[in-house]
Structure formats: structure tokens, C-alpha cells
Amino acid sequence: MGAAKTRGPGRRRAVPWLVLGLWIAVLALTSPFAAKLADVQRDRAVDYLPASADSTQVAKIEERLPGGEATEMVVVYHRDGGLTAADKATAAEQLERIAGAHRLTGEPSGVPSKDGTTLMYPVASTEPGIDEKARDVLVNDVREVARGGDGLSVDVGGPAGLDTDASEVYDSLDGPLLYTTAAVVALLLILIYRSPFLWLVPLAVAGMADYLSMGVAYGLNQGFGTPVSGQSSGIMTILVFGAGTDYALLLVSRYREELRRIQRPYDAMVAALRGCGPAVLASSGTVAAGLLCLLAADLNSSRGMGPLGTVGVLCALLAMLTLLPALLVLLGRRVFWPLVPRHGSTPKARRSLFAAMGSSAGRRPLTVLAGGAVLLGALALGTLNLPGSLKQEDSFTSKPDAVAAMETLAAAYPERGTQPITVITPTDQAAATLAEVRDTRGVDSVERGRSGEGWTELSVIATAAPESPGETATIEALRDTLDGSYVGGPSAEQLDLKDTNARDRLVVVPLVLVSVLLILIALLRSLVAPLLLVGAVVAVWGAALGIGGLVFGPVFGFEGTDPGLGLLSFVFLVALGVDYGIFLMHRMREESLNGAEPVAAALTALRTTGGVIASAGAVLAATFAVLTSMPLVQLVELGFVIAVGVLLDTFLVRTYLVTSASVALRRTVWWPGRLSRAPEPAVRQERQPEPL
């Protein structure tokens, strides 16, 4: 629609209807695939890991053993004053019923605690065809049978219990996440537009873009094996609504302006698309390029988030540059009621907050710049207070059954581990491996399990608690000692997640910086301005992460930090933060090309784009803040850091620091481009402004 030329009333009426019809057809074709996205979502810890990880190899080999990968649980009976004979009889009777209803790998045997308060029954099953949904059914069946009462508590934990609880949380995110995000965006659009109707249009378009992105994401999974997790699909929805609403704000603002100059809505929309389209395309391209750098990550979850996030941004872009303009043209000026932009009218002059902020930055740019740099640096020191790596039992904001079971076991069995470490070894060297495992420091016991496909399974219990430094040392010692064997299990998976995230930061962060910098250099035709923008967003990331360090433990009570928080928050804040820098610097460049002096160009750019950038930043921050209401710590942490970073970027860095730096550097900000050299007066008068 943006490229269409006006050729009479017939074309003006036909094009919007044609665009609307095409979207209806696309959504109809996409619908069957979008509905299947939840079916391919995988949220086990091992699904997040790369194929090369030891724990991933263990899981894959276990799937090939007789009965497939075992579903391992621990049924925990506990009474504070000590278990009675009746309690033990209840436990034995319930475990007998469980064994009769399901095919278990062995007869459950209770392990009493030394203080007599707790009885632990390890339970494992390899029922045919076991998958995530069947695993959840099995765990919930065991929980239905294993019940307490009258002072006797019964919890079902272990690896399968934790996976089931996490799966239920992720399965419950889709609805609440979508509805909460839509409600937040709707509220902000009502406040921004001050219209009872206008907010509905971009919100409905964002919803259609989200549905389209779900269908495309399913296609990527089926066609290219792109992993889909609850986290990546949730982030995709956030990006569709957040980035899509940002693009809508820019387009609607420019469209409203053009409606005052141009009589026909179709012609006004064509002018609006020509004016703001290039900046929107450049900003979305930067976000997409930054997210696609995640393809270089070794971690499956991060690598899958790159394409899914890119799909979300591009679907939002497509919808906001085609469907939204079509609907706005069809609805006409009345959609803006009661603040209808009349043809030939002049908007009411208002005192601009951003003009006042720009004036202060223009008077003392170096003082403002130094003060802001000191503030961001001080906030970044909060990263030193970030808690250590997040353990599995600390991943939930509330306490599910599996976590309650782990806490009970940790208190009742301090002298031994309660979560098995799995060793997969070639069958022809199983006896030697068994002896080596028994001689390894930190091993309490080891049992030989299933064999098949040339492999034998060993179940190892450490003397240290799960995910403690002592157990980590035992896992590392086993990996160093056992040649040709693989060491896995829940704790090993968490260790592999941490190590892989550390590797990915070293690879992905430089790629993001270089790709974003190259795009900015091509767009702004300068080296200094892109370096300024990239440096600013990196400073924002450090400050936002530092604020997280100040509140995660003391305020939120979180016991750890997700290992992927640093990388993911960096990618999103750099890619999204540069968005707003593009809008500001592109307008500054336009003013400079139009003959404005450097200081005037910087202040005019801030005054004219500040309101739209502030509105867009508020919407984007609010959509990511929705993640803080989710029941998983890693989502809360990610949403908090990105939301805080976007607000810092919008209301401090863009308004004060980038503007102050541009004022202080003057023409040097455009070095080595031609704008860095003062033009001749005659040439300055002949230059025409570039569209925003």
C-alpha cells in the first residue's frame, strides 16, 4: 500500500479492501498451524541443552534403552513428630497400588531418615511410548494415589516431578500472558490516544500478527527443526505486541499529521508511510539482525529464541505497515474521535516536556553527560550483588509439590544426596566403570540399571546435596575419570546449562555488537554516531542488570540468577534500545541536511520525536513487565531487567545523554560523513530534507 500511487477514487477504495482480503486469506491458511504450536513446545531442561552436552547424550541414549527414557520420581512421606506405624503402612499400601497400576523398573523400597521423620521411596517407570504428556499423566496419577492427611505430608518430587510442575507452569502461560499483555497495551493506548475507538485498531492488528507468528513458528519447527520452548514462544508474543505497538505509534502519529495537510485519508496514509516507513524498516531490521545472532548460540533455547523473536518482529512489522494502514483508511478520520484531525487545522500548541529537557542538555551538555555516566556506572555496580546460579528448586515463585519434596529431603537426609546422577557407559566396560565410580570421591552409592543398544545405565548417589558445590565437584570428577562414558541427570543438566551459557556470551555478544554497528553505520553514514548509540545501550544494559542485582535477592527474595539472563537481556536491550536511537538520530540527520546547525538539529530532533519515543518506550517496557507476573523466576528476572533497561534508555539515555553528547560533539558526531564538514551557505539552502 505504501508504494501505491493515487490514480483516482476507485484505486483508493480498492487497495485497502484488497489488503484486508489478503490478510483474511493468510490468517485462514495459517490457522491450522498456529493451533499446533503448543504441541511442539518442549520445556525439559535437556531440551534447552546443545546436542554436544554430556547430559543431552545421556538423555538420548536412555531413550534407546528398553522402555525408553525412565521417568524418575521420589515419593516423600513426612511427619514432624516422627512417622507412626500407621504412616508406614499407608506408605506401603499406596506404593503397592502405584506398582500395580504402572510398569515400574523395580519394586519400590523405602529409605527411612535417621531421625525417623521421613520415608523416601524412589520410583521409576519406563512405560512404552512415554513422552512429556504421558510423563505428566504418570506423575499426576502417582500424586492422586500418594496422599497424606492428619499431620502426614506426602509430596512427589524427583526429576519427573520437577519437569511436570515446570511443564504445567509453561502450559498455563499462553492464555494469561496473551491476555495480560493485550490488557496492558490496551490501557496504554487509551491513555496515549485519548480515544474510545482508536486503540482497538492497533491492538486488533497486533493480535492478528501474533496469530500469524504462531503459524510461522510452527512451520520453522516442522521444516527446520527450530526448537520451541515456553520461554521462546512467550517472548515472541511479547515482541509482537511491544514492537508492533511501537511501529503503530509512529505510523499513527505521522498519519495524524498528514491528515491535517492532505484531504483524503488514502493519500495521507501514503504520505505517512513514505515519511516514517524507512525509519521503521531500519529499526525492525536492526532488531531482527540482533536476534538472529542468537543462531550462533550453542544452547538450544537461545538458538531457538533468535528465529522465533525475529518472526515476531517481522510479523508485527508486516501487519503494521499493511493491515493497520488499510483499516485506518477504511475507517476514515472518525476513528480519531473526539480529537479528529481536520484538514487544514493546526494542532494546539502545548508546552513540550522534551523541549525543556533538551534546553537543559543544550546549556550544560558536558555536565549532564558526566552526571549520567556516573549514575549509570554506579547502578552497574549492582551486578556484583547478583545471586549465584539458579537451582531447579528455586525456579518457581511459589512452591509446587516437587520443590516441597526436595526441601523435605534436604532436611531429612543431610548425610547423602537425594537425586541420582546418571552415568551411561559402554556395556563392555560396565564392570570397570562401576568400580571407578565407587572409588570416586563424593560418591555414596551406585547401582547398575538397564542395558541395551551397547550401553549400560548406572545410577549414582552423591554424598552432597543436589546442585551443591560438593555434588558439582563429584560430577566433574566423574567426567574427568570416566573415558568413553557420559554423565547426566538433573544436576548435570544444570551444570551444562551454566557452562554453555558462558560459552555463548563470548560468541554472541561480539556478533550482536558488530552487526548492529554495521547497520547503524550504513544508515547514519557515520562512525561516531553509531559508536555513541551502541555505547549508550551497553551502558543501559549494565545499569539495568545492576538494578536487578539490588532487588532480586533483598526485595524479591530470589535465591539465584538464571544463567541465561546476561546474554538474553543484552541481546534484547541492545537490539530494542538502538531502535529509539535510530528514530532520534535519523531525525537529527534530517534536520542537519535541511541546514540546521548541530545544536539546533539535536534539540529539534528531541522535541519532535521525544513524545513518540516516550510513548513507544512506555509500551515496550510495560509489555516486558508482564513477564514479572509469571510464576517462573527466570521469566520474572528477564522481564524486569528488560523493562527497567527500556525505561532507562527512553527517559534518561535518549533524552539527556545522547542529546548532550550530540550537542557537545557538534558536527563531529557525523564524522567522517559529509555532514561532519560545514557546508557552504548556498549549498545549505538548496538541500532538501530526507523523510523520517
Side-chain angles (χ1 to χ4, degrees), residues 501-524:
N501 268 300
R503 174 265 176 198
D504 286 348
R505 283 196 298 271
L506 296 176
V507 174
V508 176
V509 167
L511 281 177
V512 172
L513 291 175
V514 170
S515 62
V516 169
L517 194 59
L518 290 176
I519 292 174
L520 290 176
I521 290 172
L523 177 68
L524 301 176

Side-chain angles (χ1 to χ4, degrees), residues 128-144:
I130 200 79
D131 58 15
E132 283 190 49
K133 294 186 182 301
R135 176 207 64 201
D136 295 345
V137 170
L138 173 61
V139 172
N140 288 324
D141 283 350
V142 172
R143 285 173 172 169
E144 283 294 319

Side-chain angles (χ1 to χ4, degrees), residues 138 184 319 369:
L138 173 61
V184 168
L369 193 59

Side-chain angles (χ1 to χ4, degrees), residues 160-235:
L162 277 170
D163 286 341
T164 294
D165 289 336
S167 177
E168 289 177 355
V169 168
Y170 277 116
D171 290 344
S172 69
L173 289 183
D174 293 342
L177 183 63
L178 176 61
Y179 304 144
T180 307
T181 303
V184 168
V185 171
L187 177 61
L188 289 173
L189 288 176
I190 291 171
L191 295 174
I192 292 168
Y193 288 142
R194 290 170 293 164
S195 168
F197 307 113
L198 181 57
W199 64 274
L200 282 167
V201 183
L203 186 65
V205 172
M208 295 179 189
D210 183 50
Y211 202 65
L212 175 62
S213 70
M214 292 169 63
V216 176
Y218 178 80
L220 287 177
N221 174 269
Q222 296 299 296
F224 302 97
T226 302
V228 178
S229 66
Q231 186 182 55
S232 61
S233 62
I235 293 295

Side-chain angles (χ1 to χ4, degrees), residues 300-458:
N300 283 340
S301 57
S302 297
R303 192 169 63 250
M305 193 174 293
L308 262 63
T310 302
V311 164
V313 170
L314 295 183
C315 286
L317 174 71
L318 180 64
M320 295 306 169
L321 291 186
T322 58
L323 182 57
L324 178 63
L327 292 175
L328 289 174
V329 169
L330 290 174
L331 292 170
R333 297 176 186 269
R334 58 185 177 274
V335 74
F336 289 94
W337 187 88
L339 303 175
V340 179
R342 305 293 179 186
H343 179 233
S345 64
T346 303
K348 183 179 179 181
R350 295 179 180 177
R351 186 176 181 181
S352 172
L353 169 65
F354 294 96
M357 297 171 76
S359 297
S360 64
R363 287 193 301 269
R364 295 179 294 275
L366 293 178
T367 302
V368 172
L369 193 59
V374 170
L375 175 61
L376 291 176
L379 291 174
L381 292 176
T383 56
L384 301 175
N385 196 48
L386 284 169
S389 295
L390 191 68
K391 296 180 180 180
Q392 280 186 303
E393 65 264 31
D394 298 324
S395 298
F396 304 87
T397 56
S398 58
K399 188 188 294 185
D401 276 5
V403 173
M406 293 183 74
E407 291 180 351
T408 301
L409 291 172
Y413 301 86
E415 76 286 351
R416 58 166 285 164
T418 56
Q419 185 166 271
I421 301 167
T422 303
V423 174
I424 295 291
T425 188
T427 300
D428 58 3
Q429 63 184 56
T433 301
L434 191 64
E436 286 183 284
V437 170
R438 285 177 177 149
D439 292 338
T440 301
R441 186 173 181 178
V443 171
D444 179 80
S445 63
V446 56
E447 293 182 2
R448 187 166 180 162
R450 297 170 295 159
S451 301
E453 299 288 331
W455 297 95
T456 295
E457 179 185 61
L458 304 178

